[in-house]
Amino acid sequence: MGQMGTDALVTGLAIIGIVIIVSALLSGLVDKSGLPQVAVFIFIGAALGPAGFGVFDMKLDSPVLRVVATLSLTLVLFTDAVTLNIKEVRRYSGLAFRMLGPGTIFCAALTALAAWWLLGVGPALATILGAALASTDPVLLRSLLKRTDIPSEVRLALRLESGLNDVVLLPIVALAMALILRHDPETGSSLAKMGFGLFILGPGAGIAIGLIAVSALDLLRKRVGIRRDYESLYSLGVAFTAYAAAEAVHGSGFLAAFAAGITIAALDVELCDCFVEYGGVTAEMLLLFTFVIFGSSLIWTGFQGLDIRTVIFAAFAILIRVPVYLISLIGSHVDMRGRMVIAWYGPSGLSSLLLILLPVFAGIPGSDHLFRVSCLIVLISIILHGATPTLLARLCKHKEEETPELVPEPAPAIRSLPVIESESKESVGTQSITLEEFEQLQKSGENVILLDVRTERSREPSGSQAKGSVRIVPEGVVAQANKTKLPKDAWLIAYCA
């Protein structure tokens, strides 16, 4: 390996190391302060870029950018799908339709019209820009979805939108690209062929890979067992394999990744939960690493060639969501305050940049201008939306979520708990406890509280709860324990299966 290759490898490893270290050190601060985590990594990229230490300068034609962007978009779509609760989508299908139909599609259409009128771009390019900017950023949105002081129906609506809108917008971008490229004899193809690859081959390959992956995992899980942390890595492997399989048959690898995630979400709740626990963090690290790359120089191109029309368009693209969603949510069960939160909080970020890079990588004339406009809007959105979760929580502070009470619920008796051997309460393990040990603690007069800490998806199939247990959802455990006033001197026995 030459000196330049060695330097590039060292630089790459250094950037990855910085992302991991900074993410870990600032995780608590970011959660408590409400600071936009994305902004931190964009400025890290700026410090490493030409305006800072000059470590690297990423260009639009860089092969590294293409690889990282492809991996990131694959992970965004797969994560969107695998974190969806299929039963929740069915139960609230009306709300999901309002968020995606009158909401996402109208925002994309109106933004496209504004781009065609204000920026003077062609209808197909305007459609691509409108669809890309209608996508919501998963990293920025995560900070709001984690807040327990935001009403549950608001978080539900935004969760449904973030999980489904990219798969609605990606085909719009792809079809608009096909309309442009069909005039090019070298790269163009018929719309029928494009549609077949996009809507049949891609999802079909993803579903096939998902079915095979779930079947193989279930077989080995029953016979020899599989560690939960490795199951999360298994999920990432499924995502990339689905992408590769679809591209091999000339289908859409991105839609294949989404289809594989949906298949897993429908058939294997445990694998989904494992991904959320472990793999989701790995995926988020890659997305933050992508923000570092954009922050080095690319995202700052949004200030190049800035004029009054571009500024007006940027303001329109960000603010059009408010009236569209306020109207689309009329008649829903979300109250007015909740509608205001949903209407305001539609951050543009990584998903928008990744979608707009597709025509750039395809070499479509004028797409680099779309990328610069998108960069400007993303920077504005990070400032506006990144700083508002705490303010939105204050807006909703009078609407508190229901909290579990220390009241026994009728349900079937406990059937099983993780097993260890023990003969007295002094030898009870700190990680797991048998049913016999649990009974010994109760008979000895100890204050014992049984906690049901299953995720909602794991709990839904049975709909039952161990007799006398207290329901504590896995998110925000400490806050719930304080709110329910769990005694600090009691034995807290949690079960999750």
Side-chain angles (χ1 to χ4, degrees), residues 262-277:
I262 282 288
T263 303
I264 293 174
L267 300 178
D268 198 327
V269 172
E270 182 180 339
L271 182 55
C272 294
D273 290 340
C274 287
F275 177 79
V276 172
E277 291 173 16

Side-chain angles (χ1 to χ4, degrees), residues 83-325:
T83 53
L84 278 175
N85 186 331
I86 302 300
K87 291 187 178 181
E88 189 176 67
V89 174
R90 291 173 181 167
R91 187 182 306 137
Y92 301 101
S93 57
L95 181 59
F97 173 77
R98 291 173 183 273
M99 297 298 294
L100 299 174
T104 297
I105 299 299
F106 278 15
C107 279
L110 292 174
T111 304
L113 285 174
W116 171 70
W117 182 48
L118 289 170
L119 303 181
V121 299
L125 284 177
T127 300
I128 292 173
L129 184 58
L133 294 177
S135 177
T136 52
D137 180 66
V139 182
L140 278 172
L141 200 59
R142 177 176 171 270
S143 62
L144 189 71
L145 295 180
K146 288 177 62 179
R147 299 189 69 103
T148 56
D149 47 4
I150 297 292
S152 58
E153 63 268 20
V154 173
R155 286 184 281 125
L156 169 64
L158 292 174
R159 190 164 61 245
L160 290 173
E161 180 193 9
S162 65
L164 294 169
N165 73 343
D166 283 332
V167 77
V168 172
L169 297 168
L170 176 62
I172 296 175
V173 173
L175 290 174
M177 289 172 58
L179 286 173
I180 298 173
L181 293 173
R182 69 175 180 171
H183 301 296
D184 186 343
E186 293 184 2
T187 59
S189 59
S190 68
L191 286 178
K193 184 178 179 181
M194 175 73 180
F196 183 73
L198 189 65
F199 298 109
I200 304 298
L201 291 179
I207 292 172
I209 294 297
L211 289 173
I212 294 171
V214 169
S215 300
L217 181 66
D218 185 60
L219 179 64
L220 291 177
R221 188 191 281 148
K222 290 178 179 178
R223 294 194 174 185
V224 297
I226 297 178
R227 284 170 47 180
R228 286 182 67 84
D229 50 349
Y230 276 85
E231 282 195 33
S232 67
L233 296 177
Y234 184 81
S235 302
L236 296 175
V238 173
F240 297 136
T241 302
Y243 175 89
E247 292 293 324
V249 295
H250 305 289
S252 170
F254 298 119
L255 287 183
F258 184 86
I262 282 288
T263 303
I264 293 174
L267 300 178
D268 198 327
V269 172
E270 182 180 339
L271 182 55
C272 294
D273 290 340
C274 287
F275 177 79
V276 172
E277 291 173 16
Y278 302 100
V281 177
T282 304
E284 186 171 321
M285 288 295 175
L286 177 58
L287 300 184
L288 292 173
F289 173 69
T290 308
F291 272 113
V292 172
I293 289 179
F294 280 124
S296 65
S297 57
L298 287 174
I299 203 165
W300 308 110
T301 60
F303 295 110
Q304 293 179 6
L306 199 60
D307 55 29
I308 187 62
R309 285 179 170 268
T310 305
V311 173
I312 294 173
F313 172 75
F316 179 89
I318 290 175
L319 297 178
I320 189 58
R321 176 184 172 93
V322 176
V324 168
Y325 275 82

Side-chain angles (χ1 to χ4, degrees), residues 423-435:
E423 296 182 355
S424 66
K425 67 182 183 181
E426 287 77 11
S427 60
V428 172
T430 58
Q431 298 299 319
S432 58
I433 183 174
T434 65
L435 183 57

